[in-house]
Amino acid sequence: MTSLSHQITSDLYTVWWETSTPISSSNVTASMSHLHSRHTHSSPIVQQSIAEVWNARKAGNTKLFNGTKFRLGDLTATTTTDLHLRMSVTDYASYLGTNWNKSLQPSILQRKHMADTLGVGAVVVTSDQYIIFIKRSEHVGEFPNCLDVPGGHPEPSRVTGCHGTAWEYTEEKDVALNDALISSNDLVSEFFNSIVDEVYEEINIPKNKLNENQLLMIMRQTEPNGKPSAVFQLACELTKEEVEACYAKGPEEAFESTALVFMSTTDVQNIPVNDMRKDMTPACIGSLLKWREVNE
């Protein structure tokens, strides 16, 4: 049953999968298939609209760049703690041109036409019990100037067999044979490692100071037409002051944020949802609400 907290935020996100017991990478498997690739729309007008959205976004923000991302086509939960992800390869331009395309109605761009890039985010708790937020910069493609948990995307380029350009939907048998050769272990490793990489790249916390990497939930964000986002929790061995010192040295992806914000775990447990709505991204709100449930 979906919790009351999730029900009152259904305009921001919906729960695709969740667990009451946080799970580790040993509980997750994954597969790649062209069957789960984005379907190219048959209309040239629709295709033009998709390209125009990307071109307009890029023209207005020179820091945006295209790159391949994983598309989460489907998932199955074999038990309450075991999860299987079914993925393909898409790209960021297709994501902005489909999931963020306000000119095309859902009846035109159906789920199969969406890029549905798989995002990751983490509730990171310091050793002195503070949760770390980033203030998103005006240069990011989504929710500029909002508070968010650190996150990003797993990268297909890091997984053998997933390199190259975005995949096109196909049912060809010879392609399916190649899909089957892609390692589930490699996919799951990138899925879990990517959030540690993102925290390092966005905040400059050393990777060896981040542990207890656990998956809590996968949500679909409402505004970007159901973009899937995975919610993790991470324990940080550093104090709030030590994290601030790391960030002050300059993270790799400094352009993505303008400041760090900290909130005690006690305050996060008690902050009203309406207060969260004032300046937090939907994914941030969903992450905090799920974290509160499993850490009550």
Side-chain angles (χ1 to χ4, degrees):
M1 180 181 294
T2 302
S3 72
L4 178 60
S5 294
H6 293 322
Q7 290 175 28
I8 63 177
T9 51
S10 59
D11 62 316
L12 302 179
Y13 67 90
T14 56
V15 176
W16 192 357
W17 170 89
E18 65 178 336
T19 177
S20 58
T21 304
I23 66 173
S24 66
S25 59
S26 62
N27 296 101
V28 181
T29 55
S31 58
M32 295 290 293
S33 173
H34 282 69
L35 289 172
H36 296 295
S37 300
R38 186 177 74 85
H39 290 231
T40 301
H41 201 282
S42 59
S43 168
I45 296 176
V46 171
Q47 288 299 100
Q48 181 180 353
S49 175
I50 292 171
E52 286 175 349
V53 168
W54 165 248
N55 290 332
R57 287 287 199 112
K58 189 176 179 181
N61 185 350
T62 57
K63 292 185 180 295
L64 280 185
F65 64 93
N66 194 18
T68 57
K69 304 298 176 187
F70 285 109
R71 180 180 193 268
L72 183 56
D74 197 8
L75 59 79
T76 54
T78 54
T79 69
T80 55
T81 57
D82 291 332
L83 177 67
H84 183 79
L85 306 176
R86 293 184 172 85
M87 301 189 292
S88 182
V89 177
T90 185
D91 59 34
Y92 197 65
S94 297
Y95 165 61
L96 291 182
T98 59
N99 287 76
W100 281 99
N101 196 324
K102 304 297 185 182
S103 67
L104 298 176
Q105 299 298 318
S107 59
I108 298 174
L109 276 188
Q110 301 172 36
R111 176 59 53 204
K112 65 182 181 180
H113 300 123
M114 299 292 177
D116 278 353
T117 55
L118 173 59
V120 293
V123 177
V124 183
V125 182
T126 64
S127 61
D128 51 353
Q129 299 301 294
Y130 283 89
I131 289 175
I132 309 169
F133 300 88
I134 61 170
K135 178 72 177 296
R136 295 172 66 86
S137 78
E138 62 182 9
H139 302 297
V140 294
E142 305 166 63
F143 304 107
N145 302 312
C146 291
L147 282 185
D148 202 358
V149 293
H153 300 84
E155 301 295 341
S157 60
R158 296 173 181 163
V159 178
T160 301
C162 300
H163 305 82
T165 59
W167 294 4
E168 295 183 1
Y169 171 80
T170 180
E171 296 182 358
E172 295 177 8
K173 292 182 179 179
D174 58 339
V175 173
L177 291 174
N178 291 330
D179 294 347
L181 297 177
I182 299 173
S183 167
S184 173
N185 288 340
D186 289 350
L187 292 168
V188 173
S189 178
E190 172 58 20
F191 180 48
F192 275 78
N193 289 341
S194 65
I195 187 56
V196 177
D197 292 337
E198 293 290 351
V199 174
Y200 164 69
E201 290 168 4
E202 292 186 351
I203 303 177
N204 205 32
I205 298 174
K207 296 179 187 179
N208 63 0
K209 299 298 182 181
L210 298 166
N211 48 56
E212 298 178 34
N213 189 358
Q214 296 176 307
L215 179 65
L216 309 181
M217 179 176 75
I218 297 178
M219 71 178 87
R220 283 193 180 277
Q221 296 185 57
T222 302
E223 186 173 1
N225 275 307
K227 169 189 168 69
S229 297
V231 178
F232 294 84
Q233 64 178 14
L234 285 169
C236 175
E237 296 179 9
L238 305 180
T239 65
K240 170 181 176 290
E241 287 75 17
E242 289 170 330
V243 171
E244 288 176 321
C246 290
Y247 184 76
K249 293 177 181 179
E252 286 187 11
E253 297 182 351
F255 73 93
E256 293 192 358
S257 65
T258 57
L260 292 187
V261 175
F262 296 84
M263 189 179 299
S264 73
T265 54
T266 300
D267 287 344
V268 170
Q269 287 285 10
N270 295 307
I271 183 174
V273 174
N274 283 340
D275 287 348
M276 292 183 184
R277 285 176 175 268
K278 293 176 182 177
D279 55 7
M280 292 182 179
T281 70
C284 181
I285 295 172
S287 298
L288 294 181
L289 294 179
K290 185 59 188 177
W291 178 86
R292 291 204 311 204
E293 284 185 12
V294 301
N295 289 279
E296 287 179 342

